[in-house]
Amino acid sequence: MKARTSRLLLFLSLLGLLAACGGENVKPAAPAVAAPVTPVKPVKIGVALGGGAAKGFAHIGVIKMLEANGFEPVVVSGTSAGSVVGALYASGMNAFQMQQKAVALDEASIRDIRLFSGGLVQGQKLQDYVNTQVGNKPAEQLKKPFAAVATQLETGDRAVFVRGNVGQAVRASSSIPGVFEPVSIGGKTFVDGGVVSPVPVDAARQLGAEFVIAVDISSRATGQRPSGLLGAVGQSITIMGQRLGEQELARADVIIRPQVLDIGAADFEQRGRAILEGEKAAMAAMPQIRAGVARLQQARVASARSADARAAALQAEAVQRCQDSRSRIDKLRGKEKDCGAQAR
């Protein structure tokens, strides 16, 4: 009897020792938590197309090379001539389609001179032409976000049109003082956007562009007397907006300047050369564009990875806390707790 009792006590003692060794001091490893992978969206590229009358055909060449090199803009802003090209591009046309339109363009189809207003261009033909090209869609229904920039004549404030009648917005943006009749919209009067925003970088940012490519075709005051009324008016606007334009251009990521300054404001015969100069200037800027977009994308990837690492660490901690909350009996039995919900 004593031997049996002794063996029973010995068994209970061994059991107690095993319990003491196996319980709280030995923690099973928490199951591995798969690190989340946050998808990184591509950089949203915007183009800010400046004013410059017939020199504006250069914008087509720039866009052609951007597309060819895989940098298709998804946001478009334009001033004056830039608003014309920008509206067509935002409607869904690619650069080659725009070039076909440019080659076939008859200047008479967009110019309507009214003698009783002092020989000024009315601008209705330009408005109708643009609306026809964009399928008479309002700005908010175009395929790409689009902004046409004009100047409110009463206050001198910048006006950014992102909704409503596209042709009317382009007409307002292109109404060169002294050449076009001012445009009345909603009881307010508007003239060419080049007076306050020659290259609308800020408008592209407001539309959500993360990397802005500015195309500057504006003339510079060279000390030479311009020829003709249109040249004189154009240079006057250039002088007014030059300082302001430089400040806004400084907020662009890349500035492209096609060599078109010697093309006259009304020299539509030089459209082919203007397009070619746009292509050449864009290609010259391509290394800078490629490097800038890559830097922005790499920074975004690094930020996403850092966020993923933090999220994975927090999930692992949550799982470990869940495992640590097991009962004493579960720990003795080596039974893990279902902590799958903690990892999600």
Side-chain angles (χ1 to χ4, degrees):
M1 184 71 180
K2 287 182 179 180
R4 183 179 298 175
T5 302
S6 297
R7 286 197 297 271
L8 180 60
L9 290 172
L10 179 61
F11 174 76
L12 292 173
S13 298
L14 290 173
L15 185 62
L17 287 171
L18 289 173
C21 293
E24 298 174 1
N25 294 328
V26 180
K27 297 179 181 179
V33 180
V37 179
T38 303
V40 178
K41 295 181 180 179
V43 174
K44 187 179 289 187
I45 298 174
V47 285
L49 308 178
K55 295 190 288 290
F57 290 106
H59 294 315
I60 298 174
V62 170
I63 293 172
K64 185 194 292 187
M65 291 301 101
L66 291 176
E67 288 184 335
N69 285 272
F71 297 107
E72 179 180 345
V74 296
V75 166
V76 188
S77 64
T79 290
S80 196
S83 73
V84 179
V85 175
L88 270 57
Y89 188 54
S91 74
M93 291 186 196
N94 60 37
F96 287 97
Q97 290 171 322
M98 290 193 296
Q99 183 169 336
Q100 290 176 336
K101 297 285 184 183
V103 171
L105 179 64
D106 178 9
E107 189 178 352
S109 66
I110 59 172
R111 179 178 294 180
D112 44 2
I113 297 176
R114 300 217 301 191
L115 297 177
F116 70 85
S117 62
L120 298 181
V121 177
Q122 182 184 9
Q124 185 63 49
K125 279 190 175 183
L126 175 62
Q127 176 176 327
D128 294 342
Y129 172 81
V130 171
N131 278 333
T132 298
Q133 299 306 316
V134 303
N136 291 303
K137 292 180 179 179
E140 62 270 24
Q141 292 182 14
L142 298 180
K143 293 187 178 180
K144 299 177 188 286
F146 169 67
V149 177
T151 304
Q152 187 180 337
L153 192 57
E154 292 87 350
T155 63
D157 292 337
R158 183 187 66 152
V160 182
F161 294 97
V162 296
R163 301 180 63 83
N165 190 314
V166 176
Q168 189 178 50
V170 169
R171 177 184 175 185
S173 180
S174 305
S175 293
I176 303 171
V179 179
F180 279 74
E181 292 180 0
V183 179
S184 179
I185 302 175
K188 299 177 181 178
T189 309
F190 299 92
V191 294
D192 193 290
V195 175
V196 293
S197 183
V199 187
V201 174
D202 293 341
R205 296 274 188 211
Q206 290 169 3
L207 286 176
E210 298 163 324
F211 188 89
V212 177
I213 299 170
V215 187
D216 181 16
I217 55 171
S218 59
S219 300
R220 302 287 186 274
T222 61
Q224 298 179 353
R225 181 177 179 179
S227 59
L229 173 62
L230 192 56
V233 172
Q235 182 148 315
S236 299
I237 294 174
T238 295
I239 294 169
M240 286 188 291
Q242 197 164 340
R243 287 285 180 89
L244 191 61
E246 288 173 357
Q247 295 174 6
E248 189 167 1
L249 279 170
R251 294 189 283 273
D253 294 284
V254 173
I255 303 171
I256 297 176
R257 289 189 169 98
Q259 298 301 307
V260 292
L261 299 185
D262 60 333
I263 294 178
D267 194 357
F268 280 71
E269 297 302 317
Q270 294 281 348
R271 69 192 81 183
R273 184 188 150 218
I275 293 172
L276 179 60
E277 291 295 340
E279 294 176 11
K280 289 163 59 178
M283 286 306 299
M286 205 56 63
Q288 187 182 0
I289 295 170
R290 190 172 289 109
V293 172
R295 280 195 301 271
L296 196 56
Q297 193 71 30
Q298 288 167 3
R300 181 172 295 178
V301 169
S303 177
R305 285 177 178 170
S306 177
D308 286 347
R310 288 194 299 270
L314 289 173
Q315 287 179 355
E317 290 175 8
V319 171
Q320 188 62 61
R321 285 195 300 270
C322 175
Q323 291 293 352
D324 290 345
S325 68
R326 292 172 300 156
S327 68
R328 181 182 178 85
I329 297 299
D330 284 341
K331 292 177 182 178
L332 288 173
R333 294 170 59 191
K335 183 178 180 181
E336 294 186 354
K337 193 174 182 180
D338 182 10
C339 297
Q342 300 290 335
R344 293 193 291 270

